Amino acid sequence: MIQAIKTTGLTKTYGEKRALDDVNLVVPEGSIFGFLGPNGAGKTTTLRILTGLARPTSGSVQILGHDVAMAGNEVRADIGFLPDVPGFYEWMTAEGLLRFAGGLFGIGGPVLEERVAMLLDLAGLGGVKTKIGGYSRGMKQRLGVAQALVNAPKLLLLDEPTSALDPIGRKDVLDMLASLRGRTTVFFSTHILSDVERVCDTVAILDQGRVVAHGPIDELKARYGVQKVVVEVTSDGDELAEEIGRQSWATAVARGSEGAIEITVADMSAAQREIPAMVAARNTGMSRMEAGEMGLEEVFVELVGGEPR
């Protein structure tokens, strides 16, 4: 099976600084792949190499089965790219811009007209005659994705596509990306963890130029995620919290809102078995006990040591 992206030992240095250090990635065809990391981790450098705008110091990059260093325009024609701040001719309409972009790829006639109409509808801009200069940031981002799709690429590369957008703008762009699942491979860098959890199948976390985690999101949560149990009792829970804190399977205990006991656990089975017994032994009632969701943010914090910036 041909992978959409495969990097092997990818390294990029600037003088004595290693922007990328032995990066190995595999991006399956048809997937929506999230590329996470704090500022300075090397995400943009990776995208520049993938698009052919920069060359690696060492290592190899394959795009759709072709070595990027040796690839010609036939491979680049299968790639769509959207930078973090797209630039447009603001005197154009969206329809005019897509026609112009299609013409640069040699697309014309009924094929282009059909594609422009389809992309305008996908971007939620069908029938909008306002010039681009009057667009909101969200409208421009959706138009940018549409422009990157005008050549019907097999691989879509996006750099921070939802940055600086309000919640509605982010939702619109994410819905647009989700609709591409299985039709086009989408690779996007971002620092917004909730966006990745919402639309991505697979994720890689980059820190200081190195991949510290790579795989399906559910597998990463299971491998690195922190397991939590939240308990609420009908009486004061201070003594119960202290007793739980002494158990070998409890790695941390805190009091949450409205008196809830929040327990970070190393052994979920033991916690679920022993906590009800502790509550019953105190002749008190338990109004709630549930496992806390293991979020990608917790995985990120554990691996990188802080929130994405």
Side-chain angles (χ1 to χ4, degrees):
M1 175 182 177
I2 296 176
Q3 303 293 341
I5 298 173
K6 183 178 180 180
T7 72
T8 305
L10 182 61
T11 300
K12 179 66 175 177
T13 60
Y14 297 97
E16 296 183 356
K17 176 179 173 57
R18 278 184 178 258
L20 297 175
D21 187 5
D22 195 31
V23 171
N24 298 299
L25 290 174
V26 175
V27 179
E29 278 194 308
S31 65
I32 300 182
F33 191 98
F35 197 44
L36 276 168
N39 288 342
K43 301 190 302 296
T44 297
T45 298
T46 303
L47 278 167
R48 285 177 55 80
I49 292 173
L50 293 177
T51 55
L53 297 175
R55 289 186 176 275
T57 303
S58 61
S60 65
V61 179
Q62 289 191 333
I63 299 289
L64 303 170
H66 299 273
D67 191 315
V68 169
M70 307 295 291
N73 289 334
E74 69 278 2
V75 173
R76 296 187 181 95
D78 284 332
I79 299 174
F81 176 59
L82 178 68
D84 57 342
V85 182
F88 302 106
Y89 295 115
E90 297 201 340
W91 49 268
M92 283 186 169
T93 63
E95 185 175 353
L97 179 74
L98 293 181
R99 285 201 183 100
F100 173 71
L104 295 177
F105 283 97
I107 307 167
V111 172
L112 179 59
E113 293 305 309
E114 182 179 350
R115 193 167 298 174
V116 167
M118 182 270 291
L119 290 173
L120 288 173
D121 184 62
L122 180 67
L125 297 172
V128 176
K129 301 302 181 183
T130 306
K131 292 182 179 180
I132 297 170
Y135 281 15
S136 67
R137 180 68 188 270
M139 292 171 73
K140 288 181 177 179
Q141 286 295 94
R142 299 200 308 275
L143 176 59
V145 176
Q147 177 185 290
L149 289 168
V150 76
N151 58 318
K154 296 178 181 177
L155 172 63
L156 181 63
L157 302 171
L158 309 171
D159 192 1
E160 300 280 359
T162 58
S163 64
L165 295 182
D166 61 28
I168 294 176
R170 282 174 54 206
K171 178 183 182 301
D172 290 342
V173 171
L174 292 173
D175 287 347
M176 193 174 177
L177 297 182
S179 71
L180 300 173
R181 189 185 313 276
R183 295 189 289 164
T184 298
T185 305
V186 179
F187 179 98
F188 75 94
S189 73
T190 185
H191 64 279
I192 304 174
L193 293 164
S194 59
D195 288 357
V196 173
E197 287 198 275
R198 178 173 173 178
V199 301
C200 291
D201 318 297
T202 313
V203 66
I205 299 176
L206 195 69
D207 184 37
Q208 298 182 30
R210 297 186 66 89
V211 173
V212 294
H214 179 202
I217 289 178
D218 289 343
E219 286 186 14
L220 293 184
K221 288 180 180 180
R223 191 187 316 163
Y224 299 105
V226 177
Q227 300 184 84
K228 291 184 177 180
V229 176
V230 178
V231 176
E232 289 182 1
V233 293
T234 56
S235 61
D236 180 72
D238 288 345
E239 291 185 0
L240 175 62
E242 290 179 7
E243 183 181 0
I244 292 173
R246 292 192 292 268
Q247 308 306 308
S248 60
W249 42 261
T251 58
V253 178
R255 299 307 298 271
S257 60
E258 299 181 359
I261 305 171
E262 299 177 353
I263 310 116
T264 303
V265 301
D267 185 338
M268 179 62 75
S269 297
Q272 292 176 322
R273 182 175 61 253
E274 296 182 24
I275 289 174
M278 292 180 189
V279 173
R282 293 178 175 278
N283 291 319
T284 189
M286 183 165 62
S287 55
R288 179 166 73 106
M289 177 178 170
E290 61 184 34
E293 182 181 3
M294 295 180 293
L296 187 60
E297 181 174 357
E298 293 166 310
V299 176
F300 188 98
V301 170
E302 182 171 334
L303 291 172
V304 177
E307 296 183 358
R309 301 179 292 278

